Amino acid sequence: MISTSRQIASAAFGATQRRWIASTSRSSRAMPFIPDHTPASSSSGFMKNEPMRLLMLAKPGSGKGTLSGRLTSKYDVQFVSTGDMLREQIKAGTEVGKQAEGIVAGGGLVPDELMIRLLGTTLESSSMKGKSWILDGFPRTLVQGERLDTYLASTGQPLGLIVHLDVPDEIIMGRISDRWIHPSSGRIYNNSYNRPKVEGLDDVTGEPLVRRADDNPEIFSRRLKSFYAQTAPLLEYYRSTAPSNLVTLSGKTSDEIWPQLESLVRSRFSSLKPKTETKRVVPEAVIRRAEREISRDHKDFLSSLVPIIPTAY
């Protein structure tokens, strides 16, 4: 069954390969999609003593969610998802949420200006002050990238690193048939390289895993086309405006890319610290009382053995 799915995926991939994209507002001619290949090892000269502000750009199915999850679980980093924020604002009935709800209910796209306002409510909150973060879901287009840069510059917290994940299209198309997600948390599993401990169940909650409706070759091929059309100009923009901050990491799996990503962020940001486990402090009086009880129980136990110990001993 998997073999058949991958044959279908391979056929769909053939229709999606493209090395040239349509012209953008900055140019009237087509331009090649040539990813930046600045090696991660060249980052040692860019150490920054400030919070990590990271934007990760990647084709759908590249493992962006998995890699972001590893960073946030190991280091003191916040995951800022504009999609999650939008849903939370709508649920909370805030002013921004009400505006967005009306647009979404009508089948429209939330305007960039509203998304920037939404982002601002999170990034400028007291809980995010001085925090490292990964931005997900925005920007996706050249215009959004320009507007985001303008906003971040106005708040004194520009992007410190833009990571482009370069995973071959054929690998992505082959892996989507093996992908499962946990709906409420967004955790992603893959039968090829990141299997759940119990098949079909989330490792943390034990709840059932599901497939995304768009995880099929035909729909996925359209998503890849959209990525090339929208994100190639965005990469070109960052390559021209912040060349030292744009780094491409290449690999076929998240396990291959993870060591590169971890090495990169650790070499760039001296402020990035591993999470520390919260240790429960037991009061000294409780410890002493427990020691006395153990000592008394031990003596009682030894006393109970005395009658059966031979006198010769």
Side-chain angles (χ1 to χ4, degrees), residues 154-187:
S154 71
T155 60
Q157 47 180 346
L159 290 171
L161 182 62
I162 302 105
V163 172
H164 170 225
L165 303 181
D166 182 25
V167 179
D169 289 15
E170 62 269 25
I171 298 298
I172 294 174
M173 293 299 291
R175 82 170 47 151
I176 60 168
S177 60
D178 291 338
R179 186 163 71 170
W180 295 83
I181 67 167
H182 179 238
S184 60
S185 70
R187 280 184 287 274

Side-chain angles (χ1 to χ4, degrees), residues 6-33:
R6 287 183 174 169
Q7 289 172 357
I8 295 172
S10 179
F13 163 69
T16 69
Q17 284 183 307
R18 54 192 296 171
R19 286 298 174 198
W20 295 83
I21 62 172
S23 61
T24 70
S25 59
R26 287 176 171 254
S27 174
S28 60
R29 61 184 178 84
M31 67 179 182
F33 175 67

Side-chain angles (χ1 to χ4, degrees), residues 84-100:
D84 290 345
M85 286 190 295
L86 187 61
R87 286 185 286 272
E88 289 170 2
Q89 293 288 318
I90 292 175
K91 184 177 181 180
T94 64
E95 179 186 348
V96 173
K98 289 176 181 177
Q99 293 181 48

Side-chain angles (χ1 to χ4, degrees), residues 79 84 181-189 202-205 207 209:
F79 185 67
D84 290 345
I181 67 167
H182 179 238
S184 60
S185 70
R187 280 184 287 274
I188 300 173
Y189 300 88
D202 177 54
D203 287 350
V204 178
T205 65
E207 295 171 344
L209 302 176

Side-chain angles (χ1 to χ4, degrees), residues 24-306:
T24 70
S25 59
R26 287 176 171 254
S27 174
S28 60
R29 61 184 178 84
M31 67 179 182
F33 175 67
I34 306 174
D36 174 79
H37 285 289
T38 305
S41 59
S42 69
S43 62
S44 58
F46 299 95
M47 177 69 78
K48 301 177 181 180
N49 186 25
E50 59 184 33
M52 181 184 76
R53 295 183 287 268
L54 168 64
L55 171 64
M56 204 179 299
L57 299 173
K59 288 173 280 191
S62 294
K64 181 175 62 173
T66 299
L67 292 167
S68 296
R70 290 186 184 184
L71 277 178
T72 56
S73 64
K74 187 171 183 177
Y75 297 95
D76 187 16
V77 178
Q78 304 297 311
F79 185 67
V80 181
S81 167
T82 53
D84 290 345
M85 286 190 295
L86 187 61
R87 286 185 286 272
E88 289 170 2
Q89 293 288 318
I90 292 175
K91 184 177 181 180
T94 64
E95 179 186 348
V96 173
K98 289 176 181 177
Q99 293 181 48
E101 185 175 25
I103 296 170
V104 172
L109 297 175
V110 178
D112 295 344
E113 293 82 359
L114 193 57
M115 292 301 295
I116 292 292
R117 284 181 58 196
L118 177 64
L119 194 57
T121 60
T122 296
L123 296 184
E124 295 179 43
S125 65
S126 58
S127 62
M128 290 292 289
K129 187 175 182 179
K131 294 285 188 179
S132 293
W133 45 257
I134 303 171
L135 180 58
D136 178 64
F138 190 92
R140 296 180 185 273
T141 67
L142 173 61
V143 172
Q144 290 176 349
E146 293 172 330
R147 290 177 174 172
L148 176 66
D149 273 359
T150 299
Y151 161 71
L152 292 177
S154 71
T155 60
Q157 47 180 346
L159 290 171
L161 182 62
I162 302 105
V163 172
H164 170 225
L165 303 181
D166 182 25
V167 179
D169 289 15
E170 62 269 25
I171 298 298
I172 294 174
M173 293 299 291
R175 82 170 47 151
I176 60 168
S177 60
D178 291 338
R179 186 163 71 170
W180 295 83
I181 67 167
H182 179 238
S184 60
S185 70
R187 280 184 287 274
I188 300 173
Y189 300 88
N190 193 286
N191 290 338
S192 299
Y193 61 88
N194 183 36
R195 301 179 68 92
K197 295 175 182 177
V198 177
E199 187 170 355
L201 300 178
D202 177 54
D203 287 350
V204 178
T205 65
E207 295 171 344
L209 302 176
V210 301
R211 289 188 186 277
R212 285 176 48 159
D214 56 357
D215 273 359
N216 69 71
E218 190 173 327
I219 293 177
F220 222 78
S221 66
R222 292 200 294 268
R223 293 181 67 193
L224 284 176
K225 288 180 181 179
S226 177
F227 171 85
Y228 282 118
Q230 293 183 343
T231 311
L234 184 58
L235 284 169
E236 188 64 26
Y237 165 71
Y238 285 125
R239 188 175 294 114
S240 63
T241 59
S244 63
N245 285 346
L246 176 62
V247 179
T248 290
L249 304 180
S250 301
K252 294 182 178 180
T253 68
S254 297
D255 288 340
E256 287 183 21
I257 297 177
W258 167 245
Q260 302 175 54
L261 177 61
E262 185 176 30
S263 174
L264 173 64
V265 297
R266 286 178 64 89
S267 67
R268 286 285 183 111
F269 301 97
S270 60
S271 62
L272 192 65
K273 303 298 182 184
K275 282 185 175 178
T276 55
E277 293 184 6
T278 303
K279 295 184 178 180
R280 185 178 178 183
V281 179
V282 180
E284 187 71 18
V286 175
I287 295 175
R288 294 289 173 259
R289 185 167 65 249
E291 288 175 343
R292 289 195 298 271
E293 291 177 355
I294 292 173
S295 178
R296 185 180 64 248
D297 291 343
H298 181 63
K299 289 179 181 178
D300 291 343
F301 174 70
L302 290 179
S303 298
S304 68
L305 294 179
V306 170

